[in-house]
């Protein structure tokens, strides 16, 4: 079997992001090849193998994974069945015969579903940093928070300057006539950021108001595409895009990757009054062959070295608030002071219903 690798760009990265990280695109491959793990058998039950199931944007520096393998004796094998939503679907479908030992990349949009289906075996890491308890998915410790970020609308500063139009600041602003035909977002049925933005509007307008908001947004010329890459790299007028939409759904961190090291200004910006706080988790899979290794991998993800690696490789904030962030993030990638939130319980109870209502309202 041949393993192919690519930079992590499919879900949240912008075209300028080039790093040393690798993403594993095929299942059943070691991230860096065979290491000091014990010899395996044909059934794949080698206790020296640790099977890690992730979303398709997982990325860490190779030397960190090599150190983990050297320190533990495990050979890390990654599989990536899709984005965060597809990951949870596959974990549920295979819960009686788990795809791996540990999963990373389940976010708060889908965490409740996996917990309700009994996918995860509770584990509380002694390495959970102070302050990260606020992101726990439940009281049982079913999932461990690893990183987080804000899904927000981004704007092309140059477009608004050239057209002498004031940049919007709030969700309500987007309903005004001057922003007609200027917004592109991703479909919540097919996109993790799209679902996060749908949840932002639920948090902003409540169950009685969010549908009406989307109807007005659609009437004001909203464009919807299936995935982030099309929205940001094709329809968006900023970055490498050559589209005619200067307002796009992305992440609060995206502007930081649009600047060179010595730049004092950034060509794009995040609208921090439109954000939803997305948290990503790791969890031990119930029925795993190597639950001890799974726990060790979660501890590894919480280590200072990995937490410091996350911003440059996966473009999210570490849950460890003591980690020093890249200098550009302080200036160009701040988190929202007051992001919109929806509880995991409410998301789990209404997710499918809300997506169906959104589809009927916006797509028809």
């Amino acid at each position: 079997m041949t393993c192919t690798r690519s930079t992590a760009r499919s879900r949240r990265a912008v075209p300028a992001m080039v790093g040393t990280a690798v993403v594993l695109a095929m299942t059943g491959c070691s991230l860096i090849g065979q290491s000091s793990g014990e010899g395996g058998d044909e059934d794949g039950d080698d206790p020296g193998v640790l099977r890690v199931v992730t979303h398709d944007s997982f990325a860490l520096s190779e030397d960190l994974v090599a150190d983990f393998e050297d320190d533990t004796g495990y050979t890390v094998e990654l599989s990536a069945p899709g984005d965060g939503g597809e990951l949870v679907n596959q974990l549920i479908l295979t819960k009686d015969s788990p795809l791996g030992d540990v999963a990373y990349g389940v976010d708060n949009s889908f965490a409740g579903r996996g917990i309700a289906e009994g996918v995860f075996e509770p584990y509380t890491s002694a390495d959970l940093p102070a302050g990260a308890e606020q992101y726990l998915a439940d009281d049982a410790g079913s999932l461990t928070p690893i990183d987080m970020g804000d899904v927000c609308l981004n704007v092309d500063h140059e477009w608004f300057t050239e057209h002498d139009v004031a940049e919007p600041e709030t969700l309500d602003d987007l309903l005004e006539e001057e922003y007609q035909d200027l917004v592109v977002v991703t479909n919540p049925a097919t996109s993790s950021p799209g679902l996060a933005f749908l949840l932002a509007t639920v948090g902003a307008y409540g169950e009685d108001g969010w549908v009406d908001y989307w109807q007005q947004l659609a009437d004001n010329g909203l464009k919807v595409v299936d995935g982030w890459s099309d929205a940001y790299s094709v329809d968006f007028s900023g970055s490498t895009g050559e589209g005619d939409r200067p307002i796009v759904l992305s992440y609060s961190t995206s502007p930081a990757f649009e600047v060179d090291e010595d730049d004092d200004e950034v060509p794009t910006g995040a609208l921090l009054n439109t954000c939803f706080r997305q948290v990503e988790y790791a969890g031990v899979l119930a029925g795993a062959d190597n639950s001890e290794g799974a726990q060790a991998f979660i501890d590894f993800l919480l280590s200072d070295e990995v937490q410091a690696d996350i911003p440059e490789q996966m473009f999210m904030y570490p849950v460890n608030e003591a980690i020093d962030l890249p200098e550009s993030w302080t200036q160009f990638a701040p988190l929202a002071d007051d992001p919109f939130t929806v509880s995991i319980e409410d998301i789990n109870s209404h997710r499918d219903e809300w997506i169906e209502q959104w589809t009927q309202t916006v797509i028809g």
Side-chain angles (χ1 to χ4, degrees):
M1 180 183 294
T2 300
C3 297
T4 60
R5 298 169 177 173
S6 63
T7 52
R9 300 171 61 170
S10 63
R11 198 165 54 92
R12 66 173 66 90
V14 297
M17 297 178 186
V18 179
T20 59
V22 295
V23 173
L24 204 52
M26 297 184 66
T27 61
C29 300
S30 171
L31 182 63
I32 60 173
Q34 297 298 315
S35 70
S36 56
E38 300 172 10
D41 59 34
E42 292 182 357
D43 294 328
D45 293 329
D46 183 346
V49 171
L50 178 64
R51 298 176 298 154
V52 181
V53 190
T54 79
H55 59 48
D56 52 14
S57 292
F58 176 81
L60 286 178
S61 295
E62 288 190 8
D63 58 347
L64 291 179
V65 182
D67 288 344
F68 173 80
E69 292 189 323
D70 288 342
D71 291 343
T72 63
Y74 297 122
T75 296
V76 175
E77 292 186 353
L78 290 180
S79 60
D83 67 13
E86 292 169 318
L87 170 62
V88 174
N89 288 339
Q90 289 302 309
L91 294 178
I92 291 171
L93 289 172
T94 60
K95 65 180 181 179
D96 294 330
S97 182
L99 290 174
D101 303 303
V102 60
Y104 161 81
V106 177
D107 68 36
N108 49 329
S109 300
F110 290 97
R113 186 176 176 208
I115 292 171
E117 292 286 346
V119 167
F120 305 106
E121 175 183 302
Y123 170 65
T124 300
S125 174
D127 297 325
L128 189 69
E133 295 90 349
Q134 63 181 308
Y135 301 118
L136 287 171
D138 63 9
D139 293 333
S142 299
L143 289 164
T144 301
I146 303 299
D147 55 60
M148 48 112 179
D150 286 341
V151 176
C152 316
L153 291 169
N154 281 214
V155 295
D156 174 7
H157 292 317
E158 183 177 351
W159 188 97
F160 283 98
T161 298
E162 290 180 351
H163 290 78
D164 196 25
V165 176
E167 294 181 2
E169 296 182 4
T170 68
L171 292 173
D172 284 345
D173 288 346
L174 302 178
L175 305 180
E176 300 297 330
E177 184 178 359
E178 58 261 44
Y179 305 113
Q180 185 173 13
D181 299 329
L182 300 187
V183 182
V184 57
V185 301
T186 51
N187 191 323
T190 59
S191 162
S192 175
L195 178 55
F197 188 56
L198 167 57
L199 296 174
T201 63
V202 174
Y205 299 104
E207 291 193 49
D208 295 331
W210 73 267
V211 174
D212 181 63
Y213 175 80
W214 278 99
Q215 183 62 69
Q216 294 182 66
L217 196 59
D219 291 343
N220 207 34
L222 176 72
K223 183 172 184 177
V224 177
V225 297
D226 285 341
W228 176 89
S229 294
D230 284 340
Y232 200 93
S233 301
V234 178
D235 292 293
F236 187 40
S237 61
S239 187
T240 59
E242 297 182 357
D244 58 0
R245 303 262 168 167
I247 307 172
V248 65
L249 183 62
S250 195
Y251 282 76
S252 70
T253 52
S254 297
F257 294 93
E258 296 291 353
V259 295
D260 294 326
E261 185 175 348
D262 297 327
D263 287 348
D264 294 325
E265 297 182 354
V266 63
T268 65
L271 303 182
L272 297 181
N273 293 320
T274 69
C275 302
F276 179 81
R277 179 67 46 82
Q278 188 178 63
V279 181
E280 292 188 316
Y281 300 93
V284 178
L285 294 178
D289 293 332
N290 191 354
S291 58
E292 183 177 341
Q295 293 176 9
F297 192 78
I298 291 175
D299 294 344
F300 164 68
L301 292 176
L302 291 173
S303 68
D304 288 350
E305 294 79 10
V306 172
Q307 289 283 292
D309 197 51
I310 284 172
E312 294 285 7
Q313 307 300 353
M314 291 193 281
F315 323 116
M316 297 287 274
Y317 277 80
V319 292
N320 188 341
E321 297 176 354
I323 296 297
D324 291 332
L325 297 170
E327 185 175 348
S328 62
W329 283 43
T330 304
Q331 186 172 2
F332 300 123
L335 287 168
D337 290 332
D338 190 22
F340 297 112
T341 59
V342 180
S343 72
I344 286 178
E345 293 78 12
D346 283 345
I347 295 171
N348 194 44
S349 297
H350 299 289
R351 181 192 312 101
D352 294 342
E353 169 195 339
W354 288 341
I355 291 175
E356 183 177 352
Q357 286 181 290
W358 181 94
T359 302
Q360 292 175 351
T361 301
V362 178
I363 305 299

